[in-house]
Structures are given as structure tokens and as C-alpha cells.
Amino acid sequence: MSTTSLSAYTKVLLKAKLLRGVYLFDDFKRRVSGNGNPSPLQPFETITIPSTKPTSKGNRNITIKIYKTKAALDSNVGPVAVHLNWHGSGFVLPMYGTDIGFIEHLLNHPLLASYPLAILDCDYAKAPEYPCPAAPDDARDAIDYVFRNPRLYDLNKVTLGGFSAGANLAMGLSVDLGNQAHKGVSPYGDGKSHPIPAVIAFYPVAKWVSERVDVPVPPGPQTWPGIPLPKEVTDIFDDSYWFSPVLNDPPTAEEDRARVKAWMQMPLYSPACADSKEFPRYIELVTCEYDHLSIEGEKLREALSKDMTKQVYGRRIDGVGHSWDLVTAPGQTGYKERCEMYDIAARIIARVGGVEVEI
């Protein structure tokens, strides 16, 4: 049976929509109960840019919410540093805007409050309607937007970051651009230097694996902060993201499995498959104890730490699960670690901007 047929796609799509419905209902309950960590922060500006990679479903636009520190609001400041952020989603869920707490932390951080910085919170296409490579294509378009606007942004101070699926996008693009720079064909700067000095990755998909390996989780009712990722949920994520961009191509299940396996080994999609030299100089990598993604994430941290040209920060946060920082609150388990990891991100961004600070 073909895994790229219309009937196969319809089956995957229905599962994804059901999962989205569950997510939206749970999110509504959290907001009503006051546990949604709401923020009054509003973007300075919201823009849309066209995706440069049309699909069989036609053209689409990419939404970018732009936030600015107080210093960046000065009309005489000139080009400002920029941090691009991509949210988590499993590449499926409508979670755009959920990193507002992180953005607010950066904007209010003592090191950055007086530092001219724009934070671009970037949306991207979701699967299975727009499977891989649509999301990385959208992320690249957001980066291209920045580098096409040197009057707005200081192109020597561009950092990337994200959470979960968004962290995969940030790391994947950072190593892809690093690879181009090492080949002398980077579309940015002098074409030879890595255009991205830092990448910040919270619980990323560091490497796609064909068989999931789980980590030990305390038995009984959940008492720890974080979002459980049972296999039946991540299977929907995987089936959606890796569905063929073209129906009935490849025509057989065997050929399609070979396609997916080959794509999973590409550094753009599995940054842990990249050589360490292709990563930016500064790297923050944060993983969670009760998250199966921590296995490959910790392997990647260990590998990068052996490269003396890289400065690697972050750690595994014990006693928490995936996306713990989105659900913990002051006084609760994991909140102190949330602030610590957000502080490291702020220090890295400040260091890239020339601020003398220890990380």
C-alpha cells in the first residue's frame, strides 16, 4: 500500500486535526483557570513576508511579530541587533506566540534593556498540510528577510533560537549556513565567515531517529512540570512532518521509507549529523530529564563540548519534562531553572553584541 496516496494523507490529516483540537481545548482550559501564564506584552509591529517556496497548495505568507527593547525604539539608533525565535509545535500544533514569556524576559533583562535589540518571533508552516521542507524553508525566508534589510538590522549581530521543533529549525539553519560558509558560498556577509554567531536551543529535536527511545519517568500521576510526549502523539508529529510533499511520489512505501531515512540524516533536519565546525561559536543547549529528546540532545552537547572553538552553555534540567518552562510559575518546580536558562540566552545575545559579560 502506498504511504503517499491521498487516502494515506487524509488519514494523517485527520489525526493531526484531532490532536490540534485536543491541544486547543486544553489551552482554553488553562487560560480560563488562570494557569496559562498570560502576558500583556504586545509586539512593536507585526509583518508578513511571502514564502519563496510555493507548494502544490499555492503561495503562503509568513507572520513575524517584532518586539523591541527600549533602546531599539530610539529613532536615531540605526541598525539594531536581532534575535530570531521559532516556537515549538511538533511541526503540527498551532503554538505560535507561546514563547512570549521568554521574549518578555529578554526585553526586561538588565543586560538588554539598554541594548538596541529586535526580537523577531517567526511563524512557520505546519504539517501535514505543509510537510518538510516547508517549515525550514519558511525559517530560511525569515533569515533572508533580516539580511535583506541592513538599514534595519545589524548583520553582524544576528542570533537564532527556538524551542522544541523551533529549536530544530534554528540549529538546522545555523549548521546549514555554517556549511555554506566553510565552502565559501554563504549568501551572507563575505561568503566565508559564519553569518550566525550564536544559536539558542531549548529541548530541540537534535537528531531524527527511526525508533524512539524513551527515558525513565516517575510512576503514578504527574507531579512534575512539563508536557508529556507519549509515543502515540509523537507518531502523529512524525507521520505529518515526513509525509511526502507530493502525493503519490514516491509511488511505493519502500521508496518513501528510503526518502525519509535519507532526509533524516541531513544536517539541516538533524543538526546532530553536522560537523561541529559548522555550528556557531556560541551555543546554548537545554534539555529536560523526562523528555525522550534529551537523549540525542545530550549526545550533541557532549560532541560540541569537545570542540575548543565553541562555547557551549546550558544543561539538562532535572525533574522536569518537555516544555516545562511554558507551564511552571514562580515558586513552582523548575521556575528557578527557567530563569537561569533564559538568563544565559540573554547573556549570549549581549556577548554577541559586544557587551562584556560572563556567561
Side-chain angles (χ1 to χ4, degrees), residues 140-188:
R140 190 183 297 274
D141 283 338
I143 297 172
D144 285 344
Y145 160 76
V146 168
F147 279 90
R148 288 198 313 269
N149 286 279
R151 290 186 297 176
L152 298 177
Y153 305 113
D154 186 334
L155 304 187
N156 294 313
K157 302 174 183 177
V158 180
T159 56
L160 309 182
F163 296 75
S164 191
N168 171 269
L169 296 176
M171 294 189 84
L173 265 298
S174 75
V175 299
D176 195 59
L177 293 172
N179 177 265
Q180 291 178 330
H182 278 95
K183 293 178 178 178
V185 294
S186 172
Y188 310 130

Side-chain angles (χ1 to χ4, degrees), residues 216-257:
V217 175
Q222 180 179 336
T223 58
W224 39 270
I227 300 174
L229 291 175
K231 187 176 184 300
E232 55 267 26
V233 170
T234 58
D235 282 350
I236 296 174
F237 292 160
D238 295 356
D239 292 345
S240 297
Y241 188 60
W242 293 112
F243 199 90
S244 174
V246 180
L247 287 177
N248 301 310
D249 184 23
T252 69
E254 183 179 0
E255 290 174 299
D256 192 43
R257 283 193 295 270

Side-chain angles (χ1 to χ4, degrees), residues 123-134:
D123 201 2
Y124 53 87
K126 304 300 188 297
E129 294 91 337
Y130 299 99
C132 182

Side-chain angles (χ1 to χ4, degrees), residues 93-115:
L93 300 178
M95 295 180 65
Y96 183 45
T98 52
D99 297 333
I100 192 67
F102 174 74
I103 295 169
E104 192 168 32
H105 190 98
L106 294 185
L107 293 177
N108 294 329
H109 197 279
L111 286 173
L112 299 179
S114 59
Y115 176 62

Side-chain angles (χ1 to χ4, degrees), residues 328-349:
T328 190
Q332 296 180 356
T333 300
Y335 187 78
K336 175 175 173 288
E337 291 80 2
R338 170 191 189 265
C339 294
E340 290 174 353
M341 295 303 105
Y342 285 10
D343 281 346
I344 290 175
R347 290 189 176 95
I348 289 174
I349 292 171

Side-chain angles (χ1 to χ4, degrees), residues 54-327:
T55 68
S56 58
K57 296 181 177 65
N59 298 327
R60 62 181 185 277
N61 290 321
I62 304 163
T63 300
I64 301 176
K65 295 180 180 180
I66 303 175
Y67 300 83
K68 293 185 177 183
T69 58
K70 291 180 180 179
L73 295 173
D74 187 338
S75 59
N76 298 317
V77 73
V80 301
V82 57
H83 178 71
L84 293 93
N85 178 76
W86 290 277
H87 58 286
S89 67
F91 295 105
V92 171
L93 300 178
M95 295 180 65
Y96 183 45
T98 52
D99 297 333
I100 192 67
F102 174 74
I103 295 169
E104 192 168 32
H105 190 98
L106 294 185
L107 293 177
N108 294 329
H109 197 279
L111 286 173
L112 299 179
S114 59
Y115 176 62
L117 171 70
I119 301 173
L120 275 57
D121 195 25
C122 309
D123 201 2
Y124 53 87
K126 304 300 188 297
E129 294 91 337
Y130 299 99
C132 182
D137 285 345
D138 284 0
R140 190 183 297 274
D141 283 338
I143 297 172
D144 285 344
Y145 160 76
V146 168
F147 279 90
R148 288 198 313 269
N149 286 279
R151 290 186 297 176
L152 298 177
Y153 305 113
D154 186 334
L155 304 187
N156 294 313
K157 302 174 183 177
V158 180
T159 56
L160 309 182
F163 296 75
S164 191
N168 171 269
L169 296 176
M171 294 189 84
L173 265 298
S174 75
V175 299
D176 195 59
L177 293 172
N179 177 265
Q180 291 178 330
H182 278 95
K183 293 178 178 178
V185 294
S186 172
Y188 310 130
D190 62 6
K192 299 179 180 179
S193 303
H194 201 310
I196 307 298
V199 63
I200 295 162
F202 280 74
Y203 35 87
V205 181
K207 181 180 180 181
W208 290 92
V209 293
S210 56
E211 292 295 332
R212 165 174 161 158
V213 178
D214 285 320
V215 295
V217 175
Q222 180 179 336
T223 58
W224 39 270
I227 300 174
L229 291 175
K231 187 176 184 300
E232 55 267 26
V233 170
T234 58
D235 282 350
I236 296 174
F237 292 160
D238 295 356
D239 292 345
S240 297
Y241 188 60
W242 293 112
F243 199 90
S244 174
V246 180
L247 287 177
N248 301 310
D249 184 23
T252 69
E254 183 179 0
E255 290 174 299
D256 192 43
R257 283 193 295 270
R259 172 192 67 85
V260 172
K261 182 178 180 180
W263 285 22
M264 283 182 172
Q265 295 172 353
M266 297 172 62
L268 175 60
Y269 309 132
S270 286
C273 293
D275 191 293
S276 63
K277 68 181 181 182
E278 296 171 354
F279 280 82
R281 178 182 178 185
Y282 298 101
I283 304 156
E284 181 181 15
L285 177 54
V286 180
T287 64
C288 312
E289 181 180 10
Y290 304 144
D291 180 3
H292 71 283
L293 296 178
S294 66
I295 296 175
E296 295 298 332
E298 288 303 308
K299 289 179 182 178
L300 176 58
R301 183 206 311 287
E302 181 180 0
L304 292 173
S305 297
K306 294 177 181 177
D307 187 333
M308 302 307 294
T309 68
K310 309 300 178 185
Q311 298 188 34
V312 184
Y313 304 94
R315 59 184 173 87
R316 190 187 78 170
I317 308 301
D318 292 336
V320 303
H322 192 81
S323 297
W324 99 96
D325 57 309
L326 300 185
V327 295

